[in-house]
């Protein structure tokens, strides 16, 4: 069985790929999980992680990110912390395929 992990940061990208992930999940040769980050985890953007939970797709990790973007340096540090969180999640999940 091959392990597929999809990394999503916004409702826009998840909405486009959800049906494909569900089809992949239905294939006995694949194990699908979702690494959730970005706007999905922020109340001011609708707390859309609930949409992912409602989809029935398993969430392997929730990686928070600060999106205040007051300066380029603040955003760069936030992206760095987010990247470390995603790497940590993938290290635990050990997927064969990352999307």
């Amino acid at each position: 069985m091959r392990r597929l992990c999809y990394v999503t940061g916004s409702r826009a990208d998840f909405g486009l790929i959800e049906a494909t992930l569900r089809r992949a999940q239905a294939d006995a040769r694949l194990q699908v999980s979702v690494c959730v980050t970005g706007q999905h985890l922020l109340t001011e953007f609708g707390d859309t992680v609930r949409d992912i939970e409602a989809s029935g797709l398993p969430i392997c990790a929730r990686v928070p990110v600060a999106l205040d973007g007051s300066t380029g340096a603040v955003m760069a540090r936030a992206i760095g912390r987010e990247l470390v969180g995603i790497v940590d999640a993938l290290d635990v999940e050990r997927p064969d395929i990352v999307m």
Side-chain angles (χ1 to χ4, degrees):
M1 178 177 298
R2 299 197 40 128
R3 298 167 59 100
L4 181 151
C5 180
Y6 181 71
V7 180
T8 179
S10 73
R11 181 177 51 196
D13 74 81
F14 183 75
L16 294 172
I17 197 76
E18 180 182 1
T20 302
L21 293 175
R22 284 177 184 242
R23 281 198 272 310
Q25 183 183 34
D27 187 322
R29 298 170 297 172
L30 295 173
Q31 179 181 348
V32 176
S33 64
V34 182
C35 177
V36 181
T37 188
Q39 293 177 346
H40 286 300
L41 302 174
L42 298 172
T43 303
E44 59 267 32
F45 292 101
D47 201 26
T48 56
V49 67
R50 293 181 308 210
D51 298 336
I52 299 168
E53 292 167 341
S55 77
L57 294 164
I59 296 173
C60 67
R62 296 168 194 246
V63 180
V65 61
L67 292 177
D68 84 4
S70 56
T71 69
V74 168
M75 282 301 290
R77 287 185 192 99
I79 290 168
R81 284 189 293 274
E82 181 180 25
L83 185 56
V84 167
I86 291 169
V87 168
D88 289 345
L90 295 176
D91 190 39
V92 170
E93 190 67 6
R94 309 297 286 178
D96 298 299
I97 304 162
V98 177
M99 295 174 48

